Amino acid sequence: MNIVERFIKYVKIDTQSDENSSQTPSTQKQFNLAKEVEREMLEMGLTDVSLDNNCYLMGTLPSNTDKTVPTIGFIAHFDTSPDMSGENVNPRIVKNYDGKEIVLNEAQQIISSPADFPELLKFIGDDLIVTDGTTLLGADDKAGIAEIMTAMEYLIDHPEIKHGKIRVGFTPDEEIGRGADKFNVDKFGAEWAYTMDGSEIGELEYENFNAASAKISIQGRNVHPGYAKNKMINALHVANELVQMLPVNGRPEYTEKYEGFFHLIAINGTVDEAAVSYIIRDHDRQIFENRKKEMEQAVAFLNARYNNRLKLEMRDQYYNMREKVEPVKHVVDYAFRAMEEANITPIVKPIRGGTDGARLSFMGLPCPNIFAGGMNFHGRHEFIPIRAMEKATEVIVKIAGLVAKEA
């Protein structure tokens, strides 16, 4: 099976996670892909293959050298984002992209245009896999799974490439921030690993946001509007006041690079009660803590004004992996050199988001992030160049070879 066939098979299996579920996995349908990948792992000859009740799948490619080589790992996630449907994904290949508009869905007039997505112009001449405009594609992170599986198959078929023991791991619920919740680092047994969960060809990341979520519930006081003077407390207006108290230039649409943000992700309710949800992000730990304090102060101000009608629930989600990866920088250097050997220019930059690797790094498994190749994740305009998947697979193979060579 080539990587395109494998990838297309995977994306046609709906694995969307659900942030409102308290189960692991958050959706049972993630097992549909997990069981398919488990079957492939066994067929190709991986050992120690295990799929647990929480949808964590692991396996081993045994060492083929007598040298003592560090055990390394490669990790990707099954689920796709709740932001858009992953059901009935209908991918197609745009051959030799010409730099013009791509009509994804003629009937609904859904078009991917370089005017809106200038990154398309980087891939003129490439074969692109796109959606039909009604779903996301699922390259985040089914491309990563396909690349890891194809690399393992390649190493099995090419025993002349010497490598140590390689562990592969696939997780549920990364898109809702819970991918590492029940990942057994001791069972995985690698000295370090790489998540194949980045975007553009060449991306190599070992810095990410510090992250927190904030949910604010607001209890209003509903009174007939004809008799509401000095009585009504409109929960929706209080919610709006809260939103306006946070800095406009601190929203994601006005930030880039190392700049953090407050991101309003949901607001709903009635006059009687309302709820507001935010995610808070920053690369700098102290600024991150200050942002959380700013949220607490805004809620405290409104509680003083409205007699304690707001309740804030805030929790940290993950931290910047740089703190844990920098002391073992050689794990990044292997990936950097593997890319150079594959004629890829490494793009080392901070992740404006997070991966399973961020939390795993704090759980004792240093875990930088490598490109999987997809672009415009989480929406109908998602696409992936086939060359990106092929190159990501090549990088995995070269990392395995370099680690063994230098052991």
Side-chain angles (χ1 to χ4, degrees):
M1 184 185 304
N2 67 42
I3 195 164
V4 175
E5 293 169 338
R6 179 171 270 133
F7 173 71
I8 288 177
K9 179 173 68 171
Y10 292 169
V11 300
K12 288 185 175 181
I13 301 172
D14 181 15
T15 58
Q16 188 179 48
S17 48
D18 179 6
E19 60 191 344
N20 295 314
S21 167
S22 61
Q23 305 299 312
T24 303
S26 63
T27 53
Q28 287 298 303
K29 59 189 174 183
Q30 292 180 65
F31 273 111
N32 294 336
L33 179 55
K35 289 175 180 177
E36 173 60 27
V37 177
E38 178 190 34
R39 183 189 64 77
E40 288 183 25
M41 291 169 74
L42 292 167
E43 279 187 359
M44 72 172 61
L46 297 186
T47 63
D48 304 323
V49 176
S50 64
L51 175 61
D52 69 18
N53 292 333
N54 297 122
C55 204
Y56 288 80
L57 175 62
M58 296 181 183
T60 299
L61 178 63
S63 171
N64 67 352
T65 176
D66 294 332
K67 294 174 69 175
T68 300
V69 180
T71 298
I72 63 173
F74 295 93
I75 297 169
H77 63 88
F78 291 123
D79 64 316
T80 59
S81 171
D83 290 352
M84 191 168 192
S85 173
E87 187 178 9
N88 298 320
V89 172
N90 184 28
R92 70 180 176 91
I93 299 174
V94 177
K95 294 280 190 180
N96 191 23
Y97 174 58
D98 59 8
K100 299 177 182 178
E101 291 183 343
I102 301 173
V103 179
L104 301 178
N105 191 304
E106 188 171 1
Q108 299 183 36
Q109 279 299 291
I110 301 171
I111 296 169
S112 284
S113 169
D116 298 319
F117 304 101
E119 59 272 18
L120 278 166
L121 298 177
K122 296 180 180 180
F123 304 106
I124 292 174
D126 275 315
D127 294 343
L128 309 180
I129 303 178
V130 301
T131 75
D132 68 359
T134 63
T135 68
L136 48 66
L137 179 59
D140 181 12
D141 188 25
K142 291 168 184 174
I145 302 173
E147 290 152 6
I148 292 170
M149 292 293 287
T150 303
M152 295 304 103
E153 193 169 52
Y154 186 88
L155 287 169
I156 290 168
D157 291 342
H158 293 80
E160 71 275 11
I161 302 172
K162 299 304 176 185
H163 59 81
K165 180 179 178 180
I166 299 173
R167 290 284 279 161
V168 298
F170 304 114
T171 70
D173 294 339
E174 190 271 353
E175 295 292 356
I176 56 174
R178 307 207 299 254
D181 278 9
K182 297 184 179 180
F183 189 99
N184 190 328
V185 170
D186 290 337
K187 177 183 176 182
F188 194 60
E191 291 191 30
W192 73 86
Y194 302 90
T195 49
M196 302 300 297
D197 196 18
S199 185
E200 185 178 352
I201 297 174
E203 283 189 4
L204 173 57
E205 301 151 328
Y206 65 97
E207 300 178 76
N208 59 278
F209 279 139
N210 297 288
S213 65
K215 295 184 178 181
I216 304 96
S217 56
I218 304 167
Q219 182 60 59
R221 185 165 64 205
N222 196 5
V223 179
H224 188 288
Y227 308 95
K229 187 172 182 179
N230 299 325
K231 298 176 183 176
M232 178 185 286
I233 299 175
N234 189 324
L236 291 170
H237 286 313
V238 177
N240 185 57
E241 285 185 61
L242 174 66
V243 171
Q244 296 305 316
M245 288 178 70
L246 298 171
V248 172
N249 62 358
R251 298 174 183 172
E253 57 264 41
Y254 302 121
T255 62
E256 61 179 352
K257 299 178 182 177
Y258 282 93
E259 297 168 336
F261 52 73
F262 297 93
H263 180 32
L264 175 64
I265 58 172
I267 183 168
N268 54 72
T270 63
V271 173
D272 189 60
E273 57 184 6
V276 180
S277 295
Y278 271 91
I279 58 173
I280 302 168
R281 302 288 189 264
D282 210 285
H283 283 94
D284 183 280
R285 184 65 175 268
Q286 188 55 57
I287 297 175
F288 171 66
E289 296 297 334
N290 291 342
R291 287 186 184 278
K292 291 194 295 181
K293 287 179 183 176
E294 193 169 357
M295 176 66 76
E296 289 170 346
Q297 289 167 353
V299 171
F301 175 86
L302 291 171
N303 268 331
R305 185 170 182 172
Y306 293 108
N307 194 23
N308 295 317
R309 290 181 171 271
L310 291 82
K311 180 181 178 182
L312 170 63
E313 295 180 14
M314 188 157 53
R315 68 177 184 91
D316 288 355
Q317 296 170 304
Y318 52 82
Y319 301 110
N320 191 340
M321 76 170 88
R322 179 173 183 167
E323 178 183 331
K324 298 298 182 180
V325 174
E326 218 161 35
V328 287
K329 186 74 172 349
H330 62 279
V331 309
V332 179
D333 296 338
Y334 278 123
F336 191 99
R337 289 163 50 206
M339 288 186 193
E340 290 185 321
E341 285 195 9
N343 296 315
I344 299 166
T345 301
I347 305 170
V348 181
K349 66 177 187 178
I351 308 170
R352 288 185 59 78
T355 67
D356 282 344
R359 290 187 57 204
L360 291 172
S361 293
F362 280 85
M363 293 164 63
L365 182 66
C367 202
N369 190 46
I370 293 174
F371 72 93
M375 305 291 289
N376 297 336
F377 290 158
H378 298 188
R380 68 183 81 244
H381 298 281
E382 185 181 2
F383 70 92
I384 189 166
I386 292 174
R387 177 172 59 93
M389 290 194 292
E390 294 170 343
K391 283 296 185 183
T393 302
E394 186 178 352
V395 167
I396 294 170
V397 169
K398 288 190 177 296
I399 289 173
L402 279 169
V403 173
K405 182 179 179 180
E406 299 186 3

